[in-house]
């Protein structure tokens, strides 16, 4: 799938620091220790509605992580999927009387525009499920051959639905470290079907859904006519493009369980290797009026709507960077107004012809970002430099330019 244009990344003197982030699997902040190329997979959108601030926060957070890794001298190989066939997409298309493929194409196009406006570096591989039916089907077939998958009687289809037997992975639970009770408490709300008759374990996830009337389906060797379940798409796409033990699996905290747990278990059972990812990192939930912002609830602040209203995308990006990725927060008009005011101040300060030295501010951006993506700390360092510049001035003719390039390259903020 085509992604979107790569923003120019200016060179910054010096090098960034080794990067550490919070890892859900170990419950600790840990160093990411890639080879020359860091391999990152971030779960992409289900394209049935427009990009909201929660999605934007997730993709900007992992954009900053990619930028920090590049600044520290690594190349980054970045994969993102698109869940372009799944129940919520089909339900929305049915509700609105439009073709599911047209709905997906429209929302993906809008997502590309939003990401471009927010200066997010695109993935190297932007991969839809519809274009991955072969590798996803092969993964399901391999799980069947290994005795890790089983069929469940499906009266409303000519074929049977296929499920993963989670007991085939002795390490199941290692990504979330949740108790069985915690898992069962959210499973149904997050796409699972704990009460489906005929399953061996209530938590077993759907791998392959046999064809139903009126639903899209594909013919794949060795499987009933059907379509992929949700988690297996990310297992198959990640293994296809990155292989096992890649550096970072990312997404929002709503994906810790079941999505990242199941994706990892399936990969472990398929390959007899572990771990799937070496670090699991999650963006906290963005809300509106104290409730999680979600397409299903419809309480959305959309990037595209703000853009249409004339809001500067860099103010949106700064509003997101002003929050730490591990803290839940709610979008308000005041958050955006403060970000716009901050951007105005920075622009005024960065336009002066002579300014104080900016080496300390550049170093602070690097140090803060590498330390568990402390973007609020990085922004505070720039605030301090801007204040000094606008109140006391300075004598350096190049420092503002260097800081502007560091802001652009490391934080993706174009002033
Ligand atoms: N297609 C799946 C992942 S394979 C999916 O979760 N799609 S999504 O459109 O619902 O979400 C896209 C990304 O945004 C996911 O990484 C998800 O965890 C994240 N996300 C969704 N809602 C929020 C929110 N309110 N705050 C922060 N991140 C969110
Ligand atoms: Zn995913």
């Amino acid at each position: 799938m085509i992604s979107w244009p790569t923003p120019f990344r200016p060179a910054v003197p010096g090098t960034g620091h080794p990067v550490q982030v919070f890892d859900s699997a170990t419950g600790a902040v840990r160093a990411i220790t890639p080879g020359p190329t860091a391999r990152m997979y971030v779960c992409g959108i289900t394209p049935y509605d427009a990009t909201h601030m929660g999605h934007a926060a997730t993709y900007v957070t992992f954009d900053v992580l990619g930028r920090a890794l590049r600044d520290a001298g690594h190349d980054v190989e970045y994969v993102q999927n698109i869940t372009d066939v799944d129940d919520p997409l089909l339900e929305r298309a049915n509700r609105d009387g439009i073709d599911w493929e047209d709905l997906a194409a429209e929302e993906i196009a809008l997502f590309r525009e939003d990401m471009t406006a927010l200066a997010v570096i695109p993935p190297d591989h932007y991969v839809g499920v519809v274009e991955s039916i072969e590798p996803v089907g092969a993964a399901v077939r391999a799980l069947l051959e290994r005795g890790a998958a089983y069929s469940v009687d499906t009266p409303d289809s000519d074929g049977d639905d296929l499920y993963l037997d989670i007991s085939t992975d002795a390490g199941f639970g290692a990504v979330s470290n949740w108790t069985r009770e915690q898992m069962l408490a959210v499973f149904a709300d997050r796409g699972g079907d704990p009460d489906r008759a005929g399953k061996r374990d209530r938590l077993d996830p759907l791998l392959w859904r046999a064809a139903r009337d009126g639903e899209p389906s594909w013919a794949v060797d060795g499987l009933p006519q059907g379509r992929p379940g949700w988690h297996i798409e990310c297992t198959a796409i990640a293994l296809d493009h990155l292989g096992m033990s890649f550096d970072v699996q990312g997404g929002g905290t709503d994906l810790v369980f079941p999505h990242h747990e199941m994706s990892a278990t399936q990969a472990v059972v398929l390959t007899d290797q572990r771990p799937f990812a070496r670090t699991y990192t999650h963006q906290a939930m963005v809300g509106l009026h104290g409730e999680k912002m979600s397409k299903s609830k419809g309480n959305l602040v959309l990037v595209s709507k703000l853009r249409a209203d004339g809001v500067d995308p860099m103010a949106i990006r700064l509003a997101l960077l002003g929050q730490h990725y591990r803290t839940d927060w709610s979008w308000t008009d005041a958050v955006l107004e403060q970000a716009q005011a901050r951007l105005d101040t920075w622009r005024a300060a960065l336009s002066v012809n002579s300014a104080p030295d900016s080496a300390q501010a550049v170093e602070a951006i690097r140090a803060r970002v590498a330390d568990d993506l402390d973007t609020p700390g990085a922004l505070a360092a720039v605030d301090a430099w801007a204040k000094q510049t606008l109140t006391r001035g300075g004598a350096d003719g190049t420092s503002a330019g260097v800081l502007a390039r560091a802001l652009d390259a490391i934080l993706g903020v174009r002033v």
Side-chain angles (χ1 to χ4, degrees):
M1 191 90 65
I2 304 165
S3 57
W4 54 91
T6 303
F8 175 70
R9 247 179 355 102
V12 186
T15 320
H17 304 276
V19 182
Q20 50 178 16
V21 287
F22 184 79
D23 169 39
S24 312
T26 49
V29 173
R30 289 181 59 207
I32 304 176
T33 52
T37 301
R39 293 172 295 158
M40 178 161 83
Y41 185 99
V42 177
C43 282
I45 55 164
T46 307
Y48 71 90
D49 209 333
T51 320
H52 61 60
M53 284 308 149
H55 304 137
T58 288
Y59 299 116
V60 166
T61 286
F62 289 98
D63 183 57
V64 171
L65 176 53
R67 288 169 182 272
L69 289 164
R70 289 177 182 93
D71 189 47
H74 301 285
D75 287 329
V76 175
E77 189 163 16
Y78 179 19
V79 181
Q80 191 179 122
N81 68 305
I82 312 160
T83 308
D84 55 1
V85 58
D86 200 11
D87 297 346
L89 170 69
L90 300 175
E91 281 158 19
R92 178 64 61 92
N94 270 341
R95 187 196 81 179
D96 295 351
I98 49 175
D99 185 79
W100 64 275
E101 286 168 297
D102 292 343
L103 175 60
E106 258 171 51
E107 297 301 348
I108 294 167
L110 193 57
F111 180 71
R112 289 189 185 105
E113 281 177 27
D114 290 337
M115 292 298 105
T116 304
L118 292 174
V120 171
I121 297 174
D124 302 283
H125 308 278
Y126 191 43
V127 190
V129 180
V130 171
E131 61 187 356
S132 308
I133 298 294
E134 265 313 308
V136 174
V140 176
R141 203 164 50 232
L143 288 167
L144 272 174
E145 283 159 8
R146 286 174 164 258
Y150 61 94
S151 50
V152 168
D153 184 40
T154 309
D156 54 340
S157 173
D158 292 340
D160 281 339
D161 295 339
L162 303 175
Y163 283 80
L164 177 80
D165 182 339
I166 55 170
S167 72
T168 53
D169 175 17
F172 177 77
V175 172
S176 64
N177 288 304
W178 286 12
T179 63
R180 197 175 157 80
E181 287 61 42
Q182 285 175 302
M183 292 177 179
L184 279 167
V186 304
F187 190 56
D189 272 350
R190 297 185 180 178
D193 53 359
D195 300 326
R196 171 78 188 262
K199 279 173 42 168
R200 292 179 189 166
D201 186 311
R202 300 180 71 207
L203 291 173
D204 286 348
L206 178 72
L207 285 171
W208 188 259
R209 179 172 160 91
R212 310 293 204 279
D213 281 349
E215 289 187 13
S217 65
W218 288 264
V220 174
D221 272 356
L223 302 181
Q225 175 83 20
R227 63 176 161 94
W230 174 25
H231 316 301
I232 193 68
E233 81 188 58
C234 287
T235 308
I237 293 170
L239 289 181
D240 220 29
H241 293 278
L242 298 176
M244 277 304 266
S245 304
F246 56 90
D247 295 289
V248 182
Q249 159 76 301
T253 49
D254 56 341
L255 300 185
V256 173
F257 186 88
H259 185 55
H260 287 171
E261 191 77 65
M262 300 301 184
S263 306
T265 276
Q266 287 160 357
V268 167
V269 174
L270 272 170
T271 62
D272 287 328
Q273 293 168 34
R274 69 178 71 238
F276 180 49
R278 298 168 71 198
T279 312
Y280 296 88
T281 300
H282 295 99
Q283 162 68 44
M285 288 296 105
V286 179
L288 188 66
H289 310 308
E291 250 201 299
K292 177 191 168 189
M293 199 178 281
S294 80
K295 288 178 290 203
S296 52
K297 287 198 202 109
N299 57 339
L300 307 177
V301 176
L302 303 178
V303 176
S304 47
K305 170 78 169 58
L306 292 181
R307 288 196 293 116
D309 291 347
V311 175
D312 185 333
M314 283 302 116
I316 303 175
R317 184 159 173 127
L318 260 192
L320 300 170
L321 294 175
Q323 320 294 324
H324 192 259
Y325 81 99
R326 278 171 59 193
T327 309
D328 289 343
W329 58 282
S330 275
W331 179 267
T332 60
D333 290 345
V335 168
L336 181 60
E337 281 158 22
Q338 284 157 13
Q340 184 64 60
R342 179 177 244 160
L343 189 60
D344 294 343
T345 304
W346 288 9
R347 282 180 173 151
L350 288 161
S351 313
V352 300
N353 287 322
S354 55
D357 182 60
S358 62
Q360 239 185 326
V362 171
E363 169 52 25
I365 294 173
R366 285 196 153 120
R368 290 297 82 231
V369 164
D371 179 11
D372 198 22
L373 307 182
D374 176 15
T375 53
L379 270 46
V382 183
D383 287 342
W385 179 89
K387 186 172 177 198
Q388 195 190 351
T389 302
L390 293 173
T391 51
R392 280 186 273 145
D396 191 327
T398 60
S399 61
V402 172
L403 181 56
R405 290 193 287 282
L407 279 174
D408 189 345
I410 304 167
L411 290 170
V413 175
R414 289 193 213 119
V415 289

